[in-house]
Amino acid sequence: MLELVDIRAGYGRTEVIHGVSLLVPSDGVAAVMGHNGAGKTTLLRAAVGLIKPTRGKVLLNGEDITGLRPSARVARGLAYVPQGQQSFGQLTTAENLRVVADGRKRGKALIAEALDLFPALTTLLDRRAGLLSGGQRQQLAIARALITEPKILILDEPTEGIQPNVVAEIERTVMELTERGDLGVLLVEQHIGFALQSAQHYSILAAGHVTSTGEGGTTSTDAVRRAMAI
């Protein structure tokens, strides 16, 4: 379980997040939605330790990890997939996976498990990541994150610029992983349908504040759009 408690964070003297709190369950999805500039990515960067909150706490399974470096947070079970389908473009798909798996006791098995979740990657193992489509690179980025065996997977706009069939594949994978009961997902997403179908709980962020919350399975996309327009 990941808890963000009264987080305030920003860049230099500019505060972007103003006292945001949210809870990510250990076996489900919490979604954060909002327009561009709402502070969603800044909130995630504070959660993973890329920026230091000026106030508040980040708790992972009850442990205060606010002062830990990103690498220490990864070691404790956080995995972060930032925007932009990031990968090592000059390396092949297989090499991208091995970079993460090398040194892990179950390295080969973890790669196999990741490929089971994203079978489209099995035919692309010898292709350079820089030559993959946006959807393929996003699947690779998530697969790499899963090889770290996270307790909490943090996804920043995983469907941005991706074709609908791959969006459906990513949604299916996210739901399959959380249904196993040993992974929580913090999902930042502008694709309202994807967020509501995936998440048990959602928060809407505007100008660095949580302006609305609700339950994913019981809320319509129109209701969320109206809340985001306020």
Side-chain angles (χ1 to χ4, degrees):
M1 181 171 64
L2 178 68
E3 294 178 81
L4 306 182
V5 183
D6 194 26
I7 295 294
R8 290 182 177 270
Y11 307 95
R13 296 183 179 181
T14 303
E15 187 174 271
V16 177
I17 298 296
H18 314 292
V20 170
S21 297
L22 61 85
L23 175 67
V24 183
S26 58
D27 58 354
V29 181
V32 178
M33 292 178 280
H35 296 299
N36 289 335
K40 304 184 300 296
T41 294
T42 300
L43 181 65
L44 297 192
R45 287 171 64 83
V48 299
L50 294 174
I51 60 174
K52 184 177 181 180
T54 56
R55 194 175 82 184
K57 293 182 179 180
V58 180
L59 306 175
L60 181 60
N61 292 331
E63 179 188 2
D64 188 346
I65 62 170
T66 313
L68 297 184
R69 295 176 181 271
S71 58
R73 300 186 194 205
V74 171
R76 280 165 171 75
L78 282 188
Y80 176 45
V81 181
Q83 284 178 288
Q85 305 104 40
Q86 295 186 14
S87 60
F88 298 108
Q90 295 302 311
L91 300 183
T92 66
T93 297
E95 288 168 340
N96 266 273
L97 297 173
R98 285 199 296 269
V99 163
V100 183
D102 282 351
R104 295 182 178 274
K105 292 182 179 179
R106 299 182 57 246
K108 290 183 179 179
L110 291 168
I111 290 175
E113 290 169 10
L115 292 174
D116 283 343
L117 290 168
F118 296 107
L121 295 177
T122 59
T123 62
L124 304 167
L125 292 176
D126 294 328
R127 186 174 300 180
R128 286 186 178 181
L131 300 178
L132 301 179
S133 70
Q136 291 163 347
R137 287 196 304 273
Q138 187 64 282
Q139 290 179 80
L140 176 58
I142 297 173
R144 291 174 68 233
L146 291 172
I147 288 173
T148 68
E149 299 183 279
K151 298 181 178 70
I152 300 290
L153 176 64
I154 299 177
L155 301 174
D156 192 358
E157 304 279 11
T159 68
E160 182 181 32
I162 292 178
Q163 56 268 42
N165 64 309
V166 179
V167 171
E169 182 72 9
I170 291 172
E171 180 183 350
R172 178 197 62 76
T173 301
V174 168
M175 296 182 74
E176 178 181 336
L177 288 167
T178 56
E179 285 170 0
R180 295 177 184 178
D182 58 358
L183 179 71
V185 176
L186 174 54
L187 172 69
V188 159
E189 186 56 69
Q190 290 199 57
H191 189 303
I192 296 174
F194 173 80
L196 291 179
Q197 289 176 40
S198 302
Q200 286 74 43
H201 185 271
Y202 71 85
S203 300
I204 295 175
L205 205 63
H209 299 273
V210 173
T211 58
S212 181
T213 62
E215 304 303 316
T218 61
T219 306
S220 69
T221 57
D222 286 342
V224 171
R225 288 193 181 97
R226 288 194 296 271
M228 290 173 63
I230 295 174

